[in-house]
């Protein structure tokens, strides 16, 4: 899975066009969102076939600005504060979060500036938190 960052004109129908093109090409969006920023909107979506998505979108004039690796992290929903704790672990390793959203399976998706460092943090996090019912905040 990869994150595609898309620049959409801030006008009616652009998200519909994006969705139509991806759907016609059997490319599923597994999470993400769109945020207005002046004359443009910035969209970030989780996809399996990022290069194919980029090619098809650019055929209709939709600009894909970046394709990035993602950290897919499961957080414990039964323990408040997990997002803050995980993000602090990344910050403690000088990893900056560029984009954050959730996927359709309620997993945290993050795009970072230091993927390899973030992957190590994520792996350690999973070892610490998987089936750890004893932890109390």
């Amino acid at each position: 899975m990869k994150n595609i960052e898309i620049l959409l004109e801030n006008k009616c129908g652009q998200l519909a066009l994006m969705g139509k093109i991806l759907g016609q090409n059997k490319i599923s969006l597994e999470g993400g969102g769109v945020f207005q920023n002046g004359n443009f909107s910035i969209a970030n979506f989780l996809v399996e076939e990022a290069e194919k998505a980029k090619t098809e979108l650019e055929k209709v004039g939709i600009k894909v600005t970046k394709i990035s690796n993602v950290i897919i992290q499961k957080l414990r929903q039964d323990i408040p504060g997990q997002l803050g704790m995980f993000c602090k672990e990344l910050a403690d390793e000088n990893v900056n979060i560029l984009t954050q959203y959730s996927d359709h399976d309620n997993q945290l998706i993050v795009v970072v500036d230091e993927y390899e460092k973030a992957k190590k943090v994520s792996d350690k996090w999973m070892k610490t938190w998987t089936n750890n019912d004893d932890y109390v905040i």
Side-chain angles (χ1 to χ4, degrees):
M1 295 292 236
K2 301 273 186 179
N3 181 77
I4 56 172
E5 182 180 281
I6 303 165
L7 194 60
L8 296 170
E9 290 182 68
N10 190 10
K11 66 180 187 181
C12 188
Q14 290 298 287
L15 185 59
L17 175 61
M18 183 201 82
K20 175 184 172 186
I21 295 303
L22 294 177
Q24 285 175 342
N25 288 281
K26 304 202 180 338
I27 299 168
S28 180
L29 300 174
E30 301 301 325
V34 180
F35 304 91
Q36 184 270 337
N37 187 20
N39 292 329
F40 292 91
S41 293
I42 299 168
N44 282 275
F45 285 102
L46 185 65
V47 297
E48 198 166 308
E49 298 178 272
E51 290 297 334
K52 180 180 177 185
K54 178 180 179 178
T55 298
E56 297 304 326
L57 290 171
E58 289 184 343
K59 285 179 184 176
V60 297
I62 295 176
K63 182 170 177 58
V64 174
T65 56
K66 191 186 319 179
I67 295 174
S68 303
N69 288 325
V70 296
I71 299 296
I72 300 176
Q73 185 65 62
K74 189 70 176 167
L75 299 178
R76 294 272 308 262
Q77 298 300 307
D78 60 325
I79 300 174
Q82 288 268 293
L83 175 63
M85 290 187 298
F86 180 69
C87 292
K88 179 157 183 354
E89 294 288 324
L90 291 172
D92 288 349
E93 294 298 321
N94 294 312
V95 174
N96 186 34
I97 297 171
L98 305 173
T99 302
Q100 179 270 314
Y101 54 88
S102 297
D103 72 1
H104 297 162
D105 292 324
N106 297 318
Q107 298 177 111
L108 180 70
I109 308 300
V110 289
V111 177
V112 295
D113 64 346
E114 297 276 349
Y115 177 77
E116 293 303 324
K117 285 169 116 179
K119 185 74 176 118
K120 288 179 185 174
V121 170
S122 177
D123 291 344
K124 180 181 173 192
W125 180 270
M126 288 306 293
K127 288 177 186 169
T128 301
W129 287 99
T130 303
N131 300 320
N132 182 353
D133 293 323
D134 299 328
Y135 187 84
V136 178
I137 295 175

